[in-house]
Amino acid sequence: MVKLEGVSYSYVQKHRSVQIFSSCSYHFARDKIHAIIGHSGCGKTTLLYLLANLITPDGGSICFNESDLDAVSHNRAIILQDFGLLPWKSVYDNIALSLRLRKMSEKQTAEKVNAVVEEIGISHLLSSFPSQLSGGEKQRCAIARAIVTEPALLLMDEPFSALDAMNRESMQELLLAIKMKHAMTCIMVTHSIEEAVYLGDTIHVMRRQDGLPAHFLSPIPNTHETDDHLRGNRRYFEQCVRLRDILEGGGHR
Amino acid sequence: MKKSAFVLLSLWYLFAFITSKPFLPYPHLVLLHTLKAFLNGILATHLAISAYRIIIALAGATVTAAFFALTAGRIPKADRFLTPFAYILYPIPKVALLPVIMLFLGLGNLSKFFFIAIVVFFQLYFVIRDAAYAIDQHYIDSVRSLGASRSEMLIHVIIPAVLPSLFTALRVSTGTATAILFLAETFATTTGLGWYIMDSWARLDYLDMYAGITALSLLATSLFVLFSFLDRKLCPWMHLKDQNE
């Protein structure tokens, strides 16, 4: 479980303090896909950066499976909006980087990288550089880099927003397939109502209005796990409409 | 490349033919004389001395400029401290400082190293500092999220990100460094290609003078080619278009 306890965070913009979170307490259940959705500027990415330990909260604590988040850095991976692949490293080196940073031997690194690229279907791209890849291939590479360390917590910042519709759907399927195979907690920030409904086991709506700190509405459980063809299912559309209403309908649900 | 060399040589032949002056000999005469001077060892010795001076100066300038520029480019406080000094010192014509440098560092190689290095330093500093400053924060975040330490960040992100700009700056600086080397070797020395050219000129030995100029040009060209080679070897992601052609 990912648990935020009284987390506060603010930053200074043009000599003015902007409060994003104030004593925010929330939790995300273990081994589920959590879709976080909300309007631009409501603090979704800030939350993800806090969970990734890329920024430090002003107060409060963030725990993952009862341990302080600092202690689990090796058990966590993040996929950034623009994939975050290093242009000067080949696909192999990009994926191997997290393992090398953990001082893993080259032999073990090669074994793990080869296994993950086989699973993701990019073994033919190992010697390519990111600039030679299509959007979908870059996304696959970013996913491979994230899961090669077998993280218990996978954070994703609008991971599929840069892809065209077909690629986006195939990446969503890939993510679900990976999630079926590897037990991990996924927290995904998205702008897309359809994506949140399709992928999220639970949907979390974030809201931040009139410069006040952000807060979460009650989590919306999703029921897609039993559906084989969710996109054509009536309940999928109903859930999308419901979520849209919540997002458009002011502060209450 | 071959076409450009052919055009330049043709123009040289044309001007030599039109002017018909002893101080503009034909290219083949210069080439033959250069080979002769090189084989008898005198030109080679001066070329080796000049090469030694420029390589040490460029290496020194690169290491110090890279250190200060990376520090300024990545640490805002250091930038606020260092860059104003660079802005004040850069426009000062360093060539005018040659007598001062010689008074402080003597007439030996040290003053020549310093003289070349101080001119090249600022060209490298600004380019590397700007490249380090402009590194996309996403790359930093991406590698930090993997748990990289500061030194690992330097190795995996900062240095590779600025390397292409460093090689561009070095290629641009090659011409400047060679010009400053020539100037440095025309004062208080009897070694190096600068001295060789000026001495030949004073003796009205124009073929020898051109042999010195050819050797100096070859030295600059070799450095230029070396930096281009290193750029291709160490920054392959910057040359993918060339591979596809």
Side-chain angles (χ1 to χ4, degrees):
Chain A
M1 179 196 285
V2 178
K3 204 169 173 184
L4 287 84
E5 284 286 354
V7 168
S8 298
Y9 181 78
S10 62
Y11 64 90
V12 177
Q13 188 181 47
K14 292 177 185 170
H15 308 293
R16 200 170 62 88
S17 175
V18 180
Q19 188 86 38
I20 302 292
F21 292 105
S22 176
S23 299
C24 176
S25 295
Y26 203 71
H27 73 268
F28 299 94
R30 191 176 177 160
D31 293 343
K32 300 280 181 193
I33 299 182
H34 299 275
I36 301 176
I37 193 162
H39 292 292
S40 293
C42 73
K44 303 186 296 291
T45 298
T46 305
L47 173 71
L48 215 61
Y49 273 49
L50 283 166
L51 295 175
N53 216 14
L54 289 170
I55 52 177
T56 315
D58 302 332
S61 65
I62 304 172
C63 294
F64 177 61
N65 292 348
E66 309 307 323
S67 307
D68 191 69
L69 205 64
D70 287 344
V72 293
S73 66
H74 282 184
N75 229 348
R76 180 185 55 203
I78 185 167
I79 300 175
L80 297 167
Q81 196 173 354
D82 62 354
F83 317 125
L85 299 173
L86 302 177
W88 42 87
K89 288 191 185 287
S90 66
V91 167
Y92 179 90
D93 288 334
N94 263 292
I95 299 170
L97 180 60
S98 49
L99 301 173
R100 285 174 177 156
L101 290 174
R102 288 164 202 204
K103 317 291 179 210
M104 193 173 276
S105 72
E106 274 307 308
K107 191 178 167 225
Q108 270 183 305
T109 299
E111 280 169 11
K112 278 190 172 279
V113 172
N114 288 330
V116 83
V117 294
E118 199 68 43
E119 181 184 348
I120 306 276
I122 51 168
S123 41
H124 59 295
L125 298 172
L126 283 180
S127 57
S128 303
F129 285 95
S131 63
Q132 295 173 298
L133 307 180
S134 67
E137 289 168 339
K138 281 180 190 169
Q139 183 58 269
R140 281 173 190 270
C141 182
I143 292 174
R145 187 173 78 170
I147 66 165
V148 74
T149 55
E150 297 167 21
L153 174 61
L154 178 63
L155 306 164
M156 293 178 282
D157 187 9
E158 298 187 37
F160 311 123
S161 61
L163 304 179
D164 60 74
M166 291 310 289
N167 259 318
R168 195 181 312 135
E169 285 191 9
S170 97
M171 285 301 115
Q172 289 168 350
E173 298 300 336
L174 178 69
L175 179 69
L176 289 175
I178 291 166
K179 179 67 184 59
M180 291 276 277
K181 204 170 164 188
H182 306 270
M184 57 184 167
T185 308
C186 296
I187 299 179
M188 177 186 71
V189 159
T190 179
H191 267 122
S192 162
I193 290 170
E194 288 78 13
E195 191 165 273
V197 173
Y198 190 70
L199 293 177
D201 293 315
T202 310
I203 301 165
H204 308 264
V205 179
M206 260 183 94
R207 184 158 289 155
R208 183 168 169 265
Q209 287 173 317
D210 308 324
L212 293 170
H215 64 278
F216 287 94
L217 303 188
S218 304
I220 306 163
N222 218 358
T223 52
H224 71 254
E225 279 178 294
T226 52
D227 295 320
D228 289 336
H229 304 288
L230 185 69
R231 286 188 220 277
N233 190 308
R234 215 183 84 195
R235 277 191 291 124
Y236 167 73
F237 292 109
E238 285 171 357
Q239 186 75 308
C240 288
V241 170
R242 188 171 162 228
L243 186 55
R244 184 169 285 110
D245 285 346
I246 293 168
L247 283 167
E248 289 175 351
H252 303 287
R253 177 166 74 89
Chain B
M1 188 87 164
K2 281 177 190 167
K3 280 181 192 168
S4 311
F6 177 77
V7 169
L8 286 173
L9 274 175
S10 304
L11 284 173
W12 187 351
Y13 268 110
L14 186 68
F15 278 117
F17 177 75
I18 293 168
T19 52
S20 285
K21 298 282 186 192
F23 52 78
L24 186 58
Y26 286 112
H28 67 275
L29 295 176
V30 171
L31 184 67
L32 285 172
H33 189 83
T34 306
L35 282 173
K36 218 169 82 182
F38 199 82
L39 289 173
N40 74 21
I42 297 169
L43 186 60
T45 308
H46 289 287
L47 175 64
I49 291 166
S50 290
Y52 166 67
R53 285 170 180 159
I54 198 168
I55 288 168
I56 296 289
L58 276 174
T62 304
V63 171
T64 47
F67 174 76
F68 285 111
L70 290 178
T71 309
R74 294 309 311 167
I75 304 169
K77 270 186 184 173
D79 192 36
R80 285 194 290 275
F81 176 74
L82 289 170
T83 302
F85 284 105
Y87 271 89
I88 293 167
L89 294 173
Y90 177 62
I92 294 172
K94 262 67 74 181
V95 173
L97 296 177
L98 179 60
V100 182
I101 292 168
M102 283 183 164
L103 285 169
F104 271 101
L105 299 177
L107 303 177
N109 277 335
L110 190 60
S111 59
K112 291 170 183 61
F113 296 150
F114 187 80
F115 187 43
I116 300 164
I118 198 168
V119 174
V120 174
F121 173 87
F122 289 98
Q123 295 183 351
L124 297 175
Y125 176 85
F126 284 111
V127 174
I128 301 170
R129 182 256 172 216
D130 288 355
Y133 182 80
I135 295 172
D136 193 328
Q137 188 60 33
H138 280 108
Y139 301 142
I140 308 277
D141 290 340
S142 154
V143 177
R144 252 183 64 206
S145 74
L146 302 175
S149 64
R150 273 175 180 268
S151 60
E152 287 167 335
M153 189 68 77
L154 191 70
I155 293 165
H156 293 289
V157 182
I158 313 282
I159 290 175
V162 302
L163 217 48
S165 301
L166 169 67
F167 285 121
T168 303
L170 276 171
R171 282 202 296 268
V172 172
S173 301
T174 303
T176 314
T178 315
I180 299 296
L181 170 75
F182 171 79
L183 185 67
E185 289 180 340
T186 54
F187 289 97
T189 183
T190 53
T191 56
L193 292 171
W195 174 83
Y196 188 94
I197 293 165
M198 296 306 280
D199 181 62
S200 315
W201 179 46
R203 288 185 284 106
L204 305 180
D205 188 344
Y206 295 120
L207 278 174
D208 226 16
M209 182 182 82
Y210 276 98
I213 294 170
T214 306
L216 195 61
S217 307
L218 278 175
L219 176 60
T221 307
S222 306
L223 288 171
F224 195 89
V225 170
L226 173 71
F227 294 137
S228 298
F229 172 78
L230 289 174
D231 184 26
R232 282 173 182 279
K233 274 278 164 206
L234 300 175
C235 311
W237 70 96
M238 295 297 291
H239 304 283
L240 298 171
K241 278 184 192 164
D242 304 348
Q243 287 172 19
N244 296 336
E245 280 168 10

